[in-house]
């Protein structure tokens, strides 16, 4: 297959946006197939920073078609803000953006429900969602009765549908938290206006993509979140509400999995997590703080400080296997220049037993003791290095060790946010050669 897919191997924020941006011009089509405004993809181009939530990173290249498919849950107001922001900064948006009419839409009650459920703790800890209504929107999608898809917003019964759902949601929300100020007329007017502005982009993306893959066009599938947030295979229940591993690509995009092409697993050289849930290698101390400062580890979408820690090779090997990763991209290696010695988790101890796999229950994962290997740090600035062989020997050793532990080649090393701060090994990642 000529295309590729970019998947996060950790809990999101692996700098996938940067890699998508680099690989987008080597593809004809870039596809976003899951999640919604919970994602924040940062792309630094020509010294300018772009923060994208729903729109694929290929939008910065005029010749690339950007497709948002049925697996995404879209907040139309946020989508329009993104379009407006890009347009105001000189990015042309027209036929290069396609939005599936099968995509589900986030409505005000989803955001209200997200707030309510997020406040309820699971085993003493709250989920810490992004409060973008993502989980409630997916819940309604699966429940069907209260769902609204983009295509529904153009039907004659849209006002009636809004009125019916608003009434039911009012009652449910009032029962849950006593407040439910939902005005169906105002919601309908707001969403009708969104629908009109979005009309030029609405399309049947499923048939478009099926034609594209059958014609061997180069398609890049741009993951969001990370495999450990996968609703079925991640650190449940501290996950997002979609299949954020590569297992979600086919279903979300509407393309058989065999058309996906090279699967690139993206990992940071250390670990981060936002929101609640177990994080065995978390360093809630000065090491974590040094990483947070050096890596500017604050959420793109919510601004929350990210929890920081060491690289967990047990979990990353699991997600490499789960997503069928062919090649790994190791991002933000430069951040580790900030620490003296580096630890890497190679196994866990649980109830006195050494294990090299992750327990399925969050409470067990919370109890594991990481078993670390210590590697020397390099403590020099590597952000100006452009060839792997010029990296300090300790950094090369670290990269090799990660590769051994994940049983995959490292095809990309990133040492800074800019496009030029990237080293590709095109032998293991030919797709990067163009
Ligand atoms: P939700 O997706 O907003 O429901 O949030 C569920 C969990 O996934 C929370 O812990 C969020 O912090 C996390 N999450 C969702 N999207 C992202 C992302 O793009 N990067 C990192 N974490 C995310």
């Amino acid at each position: 297959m000529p295309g590729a897919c970019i998947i996060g191997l950790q809990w999101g924020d692996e700098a996938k946006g940067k890699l998508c941006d680099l690989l987008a011009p080597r593809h004809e089509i870039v596809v976003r197939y899951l999640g919604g405004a919970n994602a924040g993809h940062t792309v630094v181009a020509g010294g300018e920073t772009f923060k994208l939530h729903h729109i694929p990173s290929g939008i910065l290249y005029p010749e690339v078609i950007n497709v948002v498919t049925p697996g995404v849950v879209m907040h139309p107001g946020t989508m329009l803000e993104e379009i407006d922001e890009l347009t105001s900064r000189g990015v042309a948006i027209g036929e290069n953006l396609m939005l599936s009419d099968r995509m589900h839409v986030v409505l005000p009650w989803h955001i209200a429900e997200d707030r309510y459920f997020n406040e309820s703790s699971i085993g003493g800890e709250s989920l810490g969602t992004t409060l973008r209504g993502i989980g409630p929107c997916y819940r309604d999608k699966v429940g069907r009765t209260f769902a609204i898809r983009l295509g529904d917003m153009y039907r004659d019964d849209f006002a009636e549908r809004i009125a019916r759902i608003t009434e039911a949601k009012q009652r449910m929300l009032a029962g849950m938290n006593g407040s439910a100020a939902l005005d169906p007329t105002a919601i309908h007017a707001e969403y009708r206006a969104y629908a009109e502005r979005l009309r030029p982009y609405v399309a049947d993306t499923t048939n478009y993509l099926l034609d594209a893959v059958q014609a061997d066009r180069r398609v890049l599938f741009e993951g969001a979140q990370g495999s450990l947030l996968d609703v079925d295979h991640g650190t449940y229940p501290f996950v997002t509400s979609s299949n954020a591993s590569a297992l979600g690509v086919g279903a979300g995009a509407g393309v058989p999995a065999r058309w996906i092409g090279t699967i690139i697993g993206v990992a940071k050289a250390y670990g981060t997590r936002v929101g609640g849930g177990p994080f065995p290698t978390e360093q809630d101390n000065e090491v974590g703080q040094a990483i947070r400062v050096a890596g500017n580890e604050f959420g793109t979408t919510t601004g929350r400080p990210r929890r920081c820690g060491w690289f967990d090779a047990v979990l990353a090997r699991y997600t490499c296997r789960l997503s069928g990763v062919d090649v790994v991209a190791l991002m933000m290696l430069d951040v580790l220049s900030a620490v003296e010695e580096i630890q890497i988790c190679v196994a866990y101890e649980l109830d006195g037993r050494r294990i090299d796999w992750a327990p399925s229950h969050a409470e067990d994962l919370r109890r594991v003791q990481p078993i670390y290997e210590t590697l020397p740090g390099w403590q020099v600035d590597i952000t100006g290095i452009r060839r792997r062989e010029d990296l300090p020997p300790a950094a090369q050793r670290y990269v090799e060790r990660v590769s051994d532990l994940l049983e995959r080649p490292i095809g990309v090393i990133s040492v800074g946010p800019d496009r030029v701060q990237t080293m590709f090994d095109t032998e293991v990642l030919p797709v990067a050669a163009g």
Side-chain angles (χ1 to χ4, degrees):
M1 293 307 114
C5 150
I6 292 177
I7 286 294
L9 294 176
Q10 294 155 317
W11 284 287
D13 309 317
E14 298 94 349
K16 295 179 294 295
K18 169 177 169 172
L19 194 60
C20 288
D21 169 61
L22 282 163
L23 295 185
R26 295 166 169 90
H27 292 81
E28 296 166 74
I29 300 168
V30 182
V31 177
R32 173 74 191 277
Y33 58 89
L34 85 160
N38 51 350
H41 287 176
T42 308
V43 180
V44 180
E48 277 204 74
T49 302
F50 295 88
K51 293 197 172 174
L52 305 170
H53 296 288
H54 300 93
I55 299 185
S57 310
I59 202 72
L60 301 176
Y61 299 93
E63 66 286 4
V64 173
I65 303 292
N66 296 272
V67 183
V68 190
T69 65
V72 171
V73 290
M74 175 185 64
H75 186 280
T78 312
M79 171 64 92
L80 284 163
E81 275 169 26
E82 267 175 82
I83 292 175
D84 290 344
E85 164 79 10
L86 286 163
T87 310
S88 73
R89 294 171 69 185
V91 178
I93 303 191
E95 284 175 5
N96 56 344
L97 179 65
M98 295 172 73
L99 308 179
S100 170
D101 56 354
R102 294 175 168 93
M103 183 160 48
H104 283 252
V105 174
V106 175
L107 284 120
W109 45 79
H110 293 136
I111 292 163
E113 287 170 30
D114 205 358
R115 195 163 298 121
Y116 173 78
F117 285 112
N118 192 45
E119 279 161 9
S120 336
S121 83
I122 305 176
E125 191 173 10
S126 95
L127 277 178
T129 76
T130 59
L131 298 176
R132 301 296 143 119
I134 304 298
C137 186
Y138 277 117
R139 187 186 308 125
D140 279 341
K141 162 177 160 170
V142 177
R144 291 149 298 160
T145 319
F146 301 136
I148 294 186
R149 305 202 295 179
L150 180 56
D152 295 328
M153 292 167 60
Y154 302 95
R155 315 293 291 194
D156 292 342
D157 67 349
F158 183 47
E160 182 274 317
R161 197 185 263 260
I162 289 277
R164 174 178 62 81
I165 300 175
T166 310
E167 202 216 323
K169 291 285 184 180
Q170 296 262 39
R171 276 190 272 119
M172 286 163 61
L173 281 163
M176 284 181 338
N177 63 1
S179 75
L182 299 170
D183 173 354
T185 313
I187 295 172
H188 175 255
E190 181 186 345
Y191 278 70
R192 255 325 288 164
Y194 292 151
E196 279 321 308
R197 284 205 56 208
L198 289 172
R199 196 188 278 277
Y201 313 109
V202 180
D204 174 356
T205 64
T206 306
N207 278 304
Y208 174 80
L209 283 180
L210 289 172
D211 289 343
V213 290
Q214 277 166 24
D216 270 347
R217 293 180 71 190
R218 291 162 71 93
V219 183
L220 178 65
F221 297 91
E222 173 176 4
Q225 289 84 47
S227 303
L228 292 171
L229 291 172
D230 186 290
V231 65
D232 290 307
H233 309 284
T235 51
Y236 192 88
F238 299 97
V239 292
T240 191
S241 300
S242 57
N243 285 112
S245 66
L247 300 172
V249 181
V255 167
R258 76 183 137 107
W259 293 103
I260 293 170
T262 309
I263 300 185
I264 307 166
V266 189
K268 267 181 203 168
Y270 48 93
T272 64
R273 171 159 213 177
V274 258
F279 179 1
T281 57
E282 180 169 14
Q283 299 298 301
D284 191 11
N285 51 30
E286 64 287 355
V287 169
Q289 179 59 12
I291 292 175
R292 186 174 305 110
V293 171
N296 191 25
E297 292 293 355
F298 297 88
T300 314
T301 297
T302 59
R304 290 180 286 178
R306 296 180 183 138
R307 301 157 64 191
C308 296
W310 298 121
F311 187 82
D312 188 331
V314 177
L315 287 175
R317 186 169 51 234
Y318 164 64
T319 53
C320 275
R321 277 151 48 86
L322 186 69
S323 283
V325 165
D326 297 304
V327 49
V328 171
L330 196 62
M331 312 302 280
M332 306 189 77
L333 186 65
D334 54 301
V335 172
L336 289 182
S337 300
V339 292
E340 220 171 290
E341 275 188 334
I342 303 172
Q343 301 210 294
I344 184 162
C345 171
V346 294
Y348 299 139
E349 192 180 306
L350 181 64
D351 298 330
R353 220 159 49 98
R354 184 186 169 111
I355 54 173
D356 62 2
W357 41 267
S360 58
H361 201 287
E363 289 314 310
D364 292 334
L365 188 58
R366 220 187 279 287
R367 291 190 305 115
V368 300
Q369 290 300 317
I371 298 173
Y372 289 113
E373 246 177 52
T374 303
L375 281 85
W378 46 90
Q379 293 190 280
V380 290
D381 180 2
I382 58 170
T383 56
I385 292 179
R386 299 291 174 262
R387 293 186 316 171
R388 268 173 203 233
E389 54 273 31
D390 295 337
L391 283 169
Q396 294 192 33
R397 216 173 122 200
Y398 185 73
V399 173
E400 277 158 29
R401 189 66 189 126
V402 170
S403 176
D404 288 346
L405 289 164
L406 303 190
E407 298 162 0
R408 265 109 186 137
I410 308 290
V412 185
I413 299 172
S414 173
V415 292
D418 206 282
R419 285 173 178 163
V420 295
Q421 294 172 301
T422 323
M423 291 166 257
F424 283 109
D425 179 344
T426 50
E427 265 178 41
V428 295
L429 190 60
V431 81

